[in-house]
Amino acid sequence: MQHGYGAGKPLIIRDWQRELVASILDADPVPRLAGWLIARGNGKTSLLAALSVYKLFTSPRGGSIVCCARTQAQAQILFSLARDLVETSPELKERCQIGRERLYVPRNRTHFECLVSEPASLEGLNFSWCALDELGVTPRETVDVLMLAQGKRPESTLVGIGTPPPDGTDSVLTDWRQLAKETGDEHIVWREFSADGFEHHDLLCDHCIRLANPAYGDFLAVDAFKTAAATTREPAYRRGRLGQYVSGNLDPFIRPDVWEGLCVPQPIPDGAEVVIGVDGAFGGKDSDAAALVLCTVSREPHCDLLAVYENPGTPDWRVPILKLENDIRQACERFNVREVTMDPFRLNQTMQTLESEGIPISTWPWSPSRTTRATTDLFQAAMNGKITHSGNEALTRHVLAATVIERDGSLRIGKASAKRKAAKIDCAAALVMAHSRATYLATRSKPKRRTVSF
């Protein structure tokens, strides 16, 4: 190997690596699909590169060896490792023509190429062996094209390797894993080193580390785990180092420990001066929810969830706008509502209806300057202990699911994933609005109290 553990020395195959290779090469019939789930740092890319070089020199006449990944740059890593193995072996180098992105063995007229990752550019492939790196994050469209390219040869194997995907569930690697559980080796040869199922164990649990890391204590440094556990966010560490399927926001707007420290499990008393933040939506399958959040008018407000409207799983579900409006009316009877603030987008009619009844309405359009200031103010309040919350489960879930998005020079909260089924953050959006107006009104003189009747 050219770099890393054992640089400058021959690649020595360990017993567990030999078993991985044998699960493919010794299988009868040779599998069309094979998958390896192994934690990071265990040399799975180097092993797959070595196996690809073996196929390059031993394939029948006219073989086609290719490698692919989420991006061409990622695929180039595997190809470069394979090229290094050839270049550092005088016997192999003598028998191979070496190019920047192509290796060719004249004896069996077999070539090894690094492919681009765009599905359209992969159409028409006819490979005998394909090494696919980072299967957990490779787009489905890319994998679909690679799988559909099989069948043109009596033997054609696609080997995918990776770690659990960032979102915990939605990936080809997850699908292959489930297929293997359901059918055994009938449709896919699957091998896994993982501590999945032990997410309740400590980050440095020796049992979990050894389950997911066969190279632990060999060419995988022991001290790397202590450093990673102390400096890496827990969901990323558990996926990358322990091979566990965990869901979690990798970059939360407010960290769970900070939010937990702000909990004061008390409701807002009736008659308190409050602002109601309203985040609205239309509804439908996998759509956003809608939420009403209360914040006391104070420089250090206390917040609570008034109501949240979430899809129970029905495709034709819609946000109950009439109930939302009635919940606001009832809140105005319980509390001294200084303002009900909402974005006029999708809620313009609701705003006009409530305002005509004498309810104090303020518009809160999500303009770049306003959202940047409000998002920053809420974050600083949380970090400095200048806000408290009741501990409501839905409010907590939405806040911890939110991340910060920077776009066109502005900051705003957003979902941690662009997927339709990503965790909802509507309560967090309503909190941003309510906190912004509540702290602003706390610095202004109080208006005379007026009675609103219905």
Side-chain angles (χ1 to χ4, degrees), residues 206-353:
D206 187 73
H207 163 258
C208 292
I209 292 175
R210 293 187 182 279
L211 279 177
N213 299 273
Y216 181 68
D218 181 4
F219 58 81
L220 181 57
V222 174
D223 63 317
F225 288 85
K226 293 182 179 179
T227 301
T231 59
T232 308
R233 290 164 295 190
E234 182 174 341
Y237 174 90
R238 288 191 177 277
R239 284 192 285 264
R241 287 297 192 187
L242 302 180
Q244 294 173 336
Y245 276 75
V246 294
S247 298
N249 187 354
L250 288 179
D251 192 17
F253 169 49
I254 298 175
R255 297 198 318 268
D257 59 320
V258 173
W259 183 253
E260 183 180 356
L262 300 173
C263 180
V264 178
Q266 297 175 356
I268 297 176
D270 291 355
E273 283 192 325
V274 298
V275 168
I276 303 177
V278 184
D279 183 71
F282 176 68
K285 184 180 180 181
D286 300 330
S287 70
D288 288 345
L292 307 178
V293 171
L294 297 171
C295 266
T296 57
V297 177
S298 169
R299 294 177 185 269
E300 299 181 13
H302 183 62
C303 61
D304 197 0
L305 182 67
L306 178 63
V308 63
Y309 316 92
E310 295 180 291
N311 189 343
T314 306
D316 57 352
W317 178 85
R318 296 292 180 266
V319 172
I321 294 297
L322 294 180
K323 185 178 187 315
L324 180 149
E325 294 174 355
N326 195 49
D327 286 343
I328 293 175
R329 294 186 183 99
Q330 292 179 2
C332 289
E333 295 180 349
R334 283 187 57 194
F335 306 101
N336 179 12
V337 178
R338 292 282 299 275
E339 278 187 7
V340 178
T341 186
M342 63 184 80
D343 186 348
F345 180 66
R346 291 181 178 171
L347 290 174
N348 189 52
Q349 183 173 343
T350 293
M351 293 177 64
Q352 292 180 15
T353 299

Side-chain angles (χ1 to χ4, degrees), residues 394-415:
L395 178 61
T396 295
R397 174 162 44 86
H398 283 222
V399 169
L400 298 185
T403 188
V404 177
I405 297 174
E406 183 175 0
R407 184 177 299 161
D408 299 328
S410 66
L411 297 175
R412 63 179 298 169
I413 64 168
K415 294 180 179 180

Side-chain angles (χ1 to χ4, degrees), residues 380-400:
Q380 291 178 344
M383 296 304 294
N384 295 320
K386 301 298 184 182
I387 184 175
T388 58
H389 64 89
S390 65
N392 180 273
E393 182 277 330
L395 178 61
T396 295
R397 174 162 44 86
H398 283 222
V399 169
L400 298 185

